[in-house]
Amino acid sequence: MLKNMLKATVFATTLTLTAGALSVPAFAEVVYNRGSAAEPESLDPHKTSTTYEADILRDMFLGLVTENAKSEVIPGAAESWTVSDDGTVYTFKLRQGATWSDGSPVTAEDFVYAFQRLQDPKTAAEYASMLQKVVNAKEVNAGTKKPEELGVKAIDANTLEITLIAPTPYFLEVLTHQSTYPVNKASVEKLGADWVKPGNLISNGAYTLAEWVPNDHIKLVKNPKFYDAANVKIDTVNYIPTEDRSSAMKRYEAGELDSYGDLPTEQLADLKAKFGDQIRVDPYLGIYYYAIKTDKAPWDNVELRNAVSMAIDRDFLAEKVWGNSMSPAYSMVPPGIQGYTTSPAAFADKSQIDREDEAKKILEKLGYGPDKPLKMEIRYNTSENHKNTAVAIQEQLKPLGIEATLLNTDTKTHYGHLEQKGDYDVARAAWIADYNDPETFLEISLKADGHNYSNFNNAKFEELMKAATAAGGKPEERFKLLSEAERVLVDNVGNIPLLYYNYHNIVSPKLVGFEDNQMDRHPTRFMSKN
């Protein structure tokens, strides 16, 4: 179906009317075929959990604030805001005359409804934690207070007030996240789960949903009612899920994709030689890690978890598996956050041989070895890169008496299993910064967080994270407490950090405005095509 759609687009774009020697285009629709590495789980902002969905939602919805092409915070649905002297009360003035795609006005009440819905335990939002710094957010999400008690209120139709439990220096960045987008109350309450379907979904961003053919394409079209529609140059965006990275490269070379957000790293050298500066690889804030079931025997033994972590040769993974497009990781917070000092694993400075020797001694002490192997299952989501990583780790662990088996599922199934707290031993996971602050990488290990796949539960860690929140108005003290919390997390092997991310993009020279940035976010509204 997609190939027919692409052919029809090309035909419609190049159709001409000939009068003598004059050839005039019938119309010049600008189409961006945007490759994605996975099918989204949902297009409900309160039901999503991955970057694949975030890219699409960023095009369809507009939060109170948003980001420009360089991922810098700029006004969104709110044209201005003020912050109280103590840093706890934010007052937003919404754009006069802004509307939803159906023409109804966007009001402060829309944001009140959306924020309450996000925290309502009935919604079961994976990202309810994004508003945990709002007064009563945790209590509402826990069911001990009503959604109406959340610290968000409409002063009038165009004025929204948000009250925080403590100063939160990154709060405006939080409000760029897809979970904080408004949703249309009338549509949600009338249609229920069907409100996200094409023809039903009402949005307030630069694009609206026209089609969604699962595992084929999601078509977005320009929203004529968007406040800045006159400056939106691309008319149609086709999000095209292609999990197989090698297939994606073939589609890109054939002209079926204008960009793709990942690369088969075993082909990286050849791709660079063929496509030159169309290949874009640079650091961004993300951690590639293995979640390990800390509340399940034998993985509830911290010594055992540490032995497994030490035995993994991260330098080999970065160099040989990922073609030096990733960096070895020994902490959960990646480098690059100004003013923050990471807390790497104690063995980070040791040679790999010394690490393996120490791991072997621990395993022998616990009764494991080649004659009595430790059996371990590694789950990973579909990707040549994830498979090659798992195979390499499988081979690295084998000489120490760890027999690892591999289980592959598609991305939606994989993360669905983790989010539902399904049974497993070790599972591939990743965390990309929701905002430029170490807390985004640490809060996922809080016991109540929906992304705590390892079921990590440590009282000292919880205490330090709580203290960091209370120190929100004192940046140096706050970062010190977060660093101490990371030390507890890493020493107790709440997860196994493996690699710090680089983004891996391939971008057509026809695409203008796809700006490289540390957050790897690229709103279509700021792009155009040659």
Side-chain angles (χ1 to χ4, degrees):
M1 178 177 292
L2 176 62
K3 288 185 178 180
N4 290 335
M5 182 187 75
L6 295 177
K7 289 177 181 177
T9 299
V10 172
F11 175 75
T13 305
T14 58
L15 181 67
T16 59
L17 301 173
T18 305
L22 180 64
S23 182
V24 182
F27 63 89
E29 181 186 18
V30 182
V31 179
Y32 175 16
N33 292 317
R34 186 166 181 165
S36 175
E39 173 81 2
E41 292 183 46
S42 172
L43 294 181
D44 183 332
H46 301 153
K47 300 285 189 178
T48 64
S49 63
T50 71
T51 57
Y52 314 116
E53 297 143 347
D55 290 337
I56 303 170
L57 293 170
R58 191 176 296 117
D59 279 350
M60 291 198 298
F61 291 90
L62 189 67
L64 290 166
V65 296
T66 188
E67 295 166 306
N68 62 17
K70 295 180 180 179
S71 197
E72 299 164 334
V73 174
I74 60 173
E79 58 186 0
S80 65
W81 56 88
T82 58
V83 185
S84 64
D85 291 342
D86 67 357
T88 63
V89 181
Y90 285 69
T91 304
F92 294 89
K93 289 291 185 179
L94 272 57
R95 294 183 183 278
Q96 294 284 344
T99 69
W100 292 94
S101 54
D102 68 346
S104 60
V106 175
T107 69
E109 283 291 350
D110 291 321
F111 283 92
V112 172
Y113 172 74
F115 286 10
Q116 290 178 353
R117 181 175 183 261
L118 177 66
Q119 295 307 122
D120 191 333
K122 295 176 183 176
T123 305
E126 286 294 325
Y127 261 116
S129 61
M130 288 302 291
L131 292 182
Q132 64 178 335
K133 298 300 190 292
V134 175
V135 166
N136 291 335
K138 289 183 179 180
E139 292 82 357
V140 172
N141 192 242
T144 59
K145 289 193 175 182
K146 297 178 181 179
E148 294 76 21
E149 296 179 83
L150 185 67
V152 181
K153 64 179 178 179
I155 304 300
D156 56 44
N158 288 298
T159 309
L160 181 76
E161 183 181 275
I162 303 175
T163 304
L164 309 183
I165 59 176
T168 305
Y170 56 85
F171 186 64
L172 287 177
E173 288 189 58
V174 167
L175 296 178
T176 67
H177 192 267
Q178 73 267 18
S179 64
T180 68
Y181 294 162
V183 295
N184 187 279
K185 179 178 180 179
S187 176
V188 173
E189 294 192 343
K190 177 182 178 182
L191 300 170
D194 287 344
W195 82 271
V196 297
K197 291 184 176 181
N200 292 345
L201 194 150
I202 297 171
S203 58
N204 72 323
Y207 294 89
T208 59
L209 178 64
E211 298 173 4
W212 183 358
V213 180
N215 298 305
D216 189 88
H217 73 276
I218 291 174
K219 180 180 179 180
L220 310 184
V221 296
K222 183 175 172 179
N223 175 12
K225 297 188 183 298
F226 180 57
Y227 84 93
D228 197 31
N231 291 313
V232 177
K233 305 303 183 185
I234 290 176
D235 300 302
T236 299
V237 194
N238 295 311
Y239 278 89
I240 303 168
T242 310
E243 282 197 334
D244 187 281
R245 275 64 172 171
S246 296
S247 296
M249 294 306 98
K250 292 175 183 176
R251 299 185 78 170
Y252 177 84
E253 189 169 14
E256 293 182 14
L257 302 178
D258 294 312
S259 70
Y260 186 73
D262 204 356
L263 302 169
T265 53
E266 72 274 12
Q267 300 176 32
L268 190 55
D270 291 339
L271 290 170
K272 285 181 176 179
K274 180 182 291 187
F275 294 109
D277 60 8
Q278 296 173 52
I279 301 295
R280 311 210 188 160
V281 178
D282 260 318
Y284 85 118
L285 289 179
I287 181 73
Y288 186 111
Y289 69 98
Y290 272 5
I292 185 165
K293 202 78 162 172
T294 62
D295 60 346
K296 172 187 173 182
W299 315 110
D300 54 355
N301 185 312
V302 66
E303 277 194 293
L304 180 60
R305 299 198 299 270
N306 196 44
V308 172
S309 183
M310 281 194 291
I312 296 173
D313 187 343
R314 293 157 173 82
D315 290 310
F316 180 90
L317 297 181
E319 180 181 350
K320 301 300 183 183
V321 177
W322 288 86
N324 288 317
S325 67
M326 303 272 257
S327 303
Y330 300 93
S331 61
M332 278 302 289
V333 180
I337 299 176
Q338 188 174 0
Y340 181 76
T341 302
T342 61
S343 298
F347 59 79
D349 292 332
K350 295 182 179 181
S351 70
Q352 186 58 37
I353 292 176
D354 288 342
R355 294 176 200 166
E356 290 171 8
D357 287 343
E358 190 172 340
K360 186 176 181 181
K361 289 177 183 177
I362 293 172
L363 288 166
E364 287 175 348
K365 182 181 108 175
L366 296 175
Y368 300 109
D371 295 332
K372 188 183 176 184
L374 170 65
K375 298 186 182 299
M376 180 175 77
E377 180 184 79
I378 300 174
R379 300 177 69 100
Y380 66 94
N381 55 304
T382 301
S383 160
E384 302 97 307
N385 300 336
H386 304 333
K387 178 181 179 181
N388 293 339
T389 301
V391 169
I393 291 173
Q394 181 185 45
E395 292 301 314
Q396 291 172 4
L397 298 179
K398 191 173 182 180
L400 278 69
I402 301 175
E403 289 186 359
T405 56
L406 310 183
L407 177 62
N408 167 230
T409 59
D410 64 88
T411 299
K412 183 176 181 179
T413 301
H414 177 78
Y415 277 105
H417 186 79
L418 297 185
E419 288 160 6
Q420 296 301 318
K421 306 297 182 183
D423 184 41
Y424 74 94
D425 296 335
V426 173
R428 180 263 163 187
W431 194 256
I432 310 304
D434 294 318
Y435 43 89
N436 193 345
D437 189 273
E439 191 166 328
T440 186
F441 295 99
L442 299 176
E443 68 182 3
I444 60 172
S445 293
L446 291 169
K447 65 180 180 181
D449 194 275
H451 300 101
N452 184 3
Y453 305 139
S454 293
N455 285 353
F456 183 68
N457 186 358
N458 182 283
K460 183 64 175 177
F461 177 76
E462 301 278 332
E463 177 187 322
L464 287 164
M465 292 294 288
K466 186 176 181 179
T469 294
K474 303 173 183 177
E476 289 186 9
E477 181 183 345
R478 178 174 171 271
F479 271 15
K480 182 176 180 292
L481 289 165
L482 289 173
S483 185
E484 290 175 12
E486 184 183 18
R487 167 58 54 213
V488 173
L489 174 63
V490 170
D491 286 351
N492 286 276
V493 199
N495 293 297
I496 300 177
L498 297 174
L499 299 160
Y500 300 127
Y501 262 103
N502 284 353
Y503 53 73
H504 307 120
N505 294 321
I506 184 167
V507 183
S508 169
K510 296 178 181 179
L511 199 60
V512 179
F514 191 105
E515 298 278 352
D516 297 336
N517 62 75
Q518 193 180 32
M519 302 298 282
D520 197 32
R521 295 176 183 171
H522 309 281
T524 304
R525 63 178 279 208
F526 298 115
M527 299 184 209
S528 60
K529 288 184 73 177
N530 290 327

